[in-house]
Amino acid sequence: MGKLMVLTLLGAGLALVGERLVAFRQRTNAFRKVEPVEPQNCRLIEGLENGSEDIDILPSGLAFISSGLKYPGLPSFAPDEPGQIFLMDMNEQNPKVQALNISDGFDKASFNPHGISTFIDEDHTVYLYVVNHPHMKSTVEKFKFEEQQRSLVHLKTIKHELLKSVNDIVVLGPEQFYATRDHYFTNFFLVLFEMIMDLHWTYAVFYSPREVKVVAKGFSSANGITVSLDKKYFASRMFCLRSLR
């Protein structure tokens, strides 16, 4: 009787895993046939051989690009090289990228940039906020952009217990932003289990120096986030919410 119970439970477990694997493949469009599309007005931007994760464009046409992300389960084009922030002027007829220098005092060797967002102060100073994964942890780095020197001055590292496995951010004001958590677990095998079982345990966070709180939850993988022009609504591929500032 005991053996029969074990076999029954084992069979039920394998059936559940099989069903979850099929559902996971469907969610990721693994069965979908991709039709080739000829690009119209596209061309390769050289200098981003280590990949580009995120881009944020200023009203002036200057674009920041994060590159060199190393993330569990994803291939890395340069595993022994730190990540970088590149600058590109969209006003140029043939725009090229330029790596921005980062001020001393910041641990550039472990720089692992993910999502980015900019904020322009009343005095027109540009601040760049970068999701960073040093040693596979999650922090948000605040930089000041020096346009003449084409450099970034590191101002502050932001940490909080709710800022784990951060994917992307959108900045509202000085040290005020929304952030998304794309995985509940940080261990690769547990992340894989989380994805296969479709656990809806991730969320979006509002951060400010005075208050940090979860503002939306119950998602399988809260990913990129953006803001409407009037800053009333914030949207991800997983949700849309009204600003709770």
Side-chain angles (χ1 to χ4, degrees):
M1 188 66 178
K3 292 182 178 179
L4 179 60
M5 179 64 71
V6 171
L7 290 175
T8 301
L9 292 176
L10 179 61
L14 291 175
L16 175 62
V17 172
E19 186 274 332
R20 291 289 84 193
L21 282 172
V22 172
F24 175 69
R25 288 175 61 86
Q26 290 176 339
R27 292 199 309 274
T28 56
N29 289 321
F31 300 107
R32 182 179 179 182
K33 182 180 179 181
V34 179
E35 298 292 341
V37 176
E38 291 294 331
Q40 299 299 317
N41 298 314
C42 298
R43 69 179 186 85
L44 176 66
I45 301 296
E46 298 181 352
L48 296 170
E49 286 77 11
N50 296 340
S52 53
E53 168 58 30
D54 200 5
I55 183 172
D56 201 354
I57 305 174
L58 297 176
S60 64
L62 291 178
F64 296 95
I65 302 171
S66 63
S67 177
L69 175 67
K70 302 168 187 64
Y71 213 59
L74 296 180
S76 176
F77 297 100
D80 298 325
E81 296 181 15
Q84 292 180 297
I85 301 295
F86 287 89
L87 186 71
M88 182 170 64
D89 190 346
M90 305 289 286
N91 299 302
E92 297 177 353
Q93 184 174 0
N94 296 303
K96 299 178 180 179
V97 294
Q98 174 186 356
L100 293 176
N101 293 321
I102 299 178
S103 61
D104 295 334
F106 175 71
D107 185 5
K108 289 174 275 191
S110 65
F111 191 37
N112 191 12
H114 202 161
I116 59 177
S117 182
T118 55
F119 171 72
I120 303 176
D121 212 338
E122 294 179 354
D123 62 358
H124 306 294
T125 301
V126 176
Y127 297 94
L128 178 68
Y129 289 73
V130 181
V131 175
N132 187 22
H133 300 293
H135 311 293
M136 296 307 166
K137 305 294 182 180
S138 285
T139 63
V140 174
E141 311 294 345
K142 179 182 178 182
F143 297 94
K144 183 173 73 170
F145 173 52
E146 298 285 357
E147 185 172 353
Q148 297 298 324
Q149 291 79 18
R150 289 294 197 265
S151 64
L152 296 172
V153 178
H154 184 252
L155 301 178
K156 187 176 182 180
T157 295
I158 299 173
K159 299 179 182 179
H160 192 273
E161 59 182 8
L162 290 178
L163 295 175
K164 294 181 179 179
S165 193
V166 181
N167 184 294
D168 198 10
I169 60 173
V170 59
V171 179
L172 315 176
E175 297 184 21
Q176 297 180 10
F177 55 81
Y178 284 98
T180 54
R181 179 173 183 170
D182 59 7
H183 295 297
Y184 181 81
F185 297 108
T186 55
N187 177 273
F188 169 70
F189 295 103
L190 290 178
V191 167
L192 188 61
F193 172 79
E194 176 186 344
M195 295 172 63
I196 292 174
M197 299 306 293
D198 194 23
L199 301 179
H200 289 61
W201 290 359
T202 65
Y203 50 72
V205 174
F206 171 72
Y207 177 92
S208 75
R210 293 178 297 178
E211 181 183 30
V212 185
K213 61 182 179 180
V214 174
V215 294
K217 59 184 178 179
F219 309 109
S220 61
S221 180
N223 207 288
I225 187 170
T226 189
V227 59
S228 62
L229 292 177
D230 59 9
K231 294 190 177 181
K232 290 184 178 179
Y233 294 93
F234 299 84
S236 169
R237 70 179 182 86
M238 300 299 297
F239 62 86
C240 178
L241 64 134
R242 189 174 181 87
S243 173
L244 299 177
R245 283 193 294 169

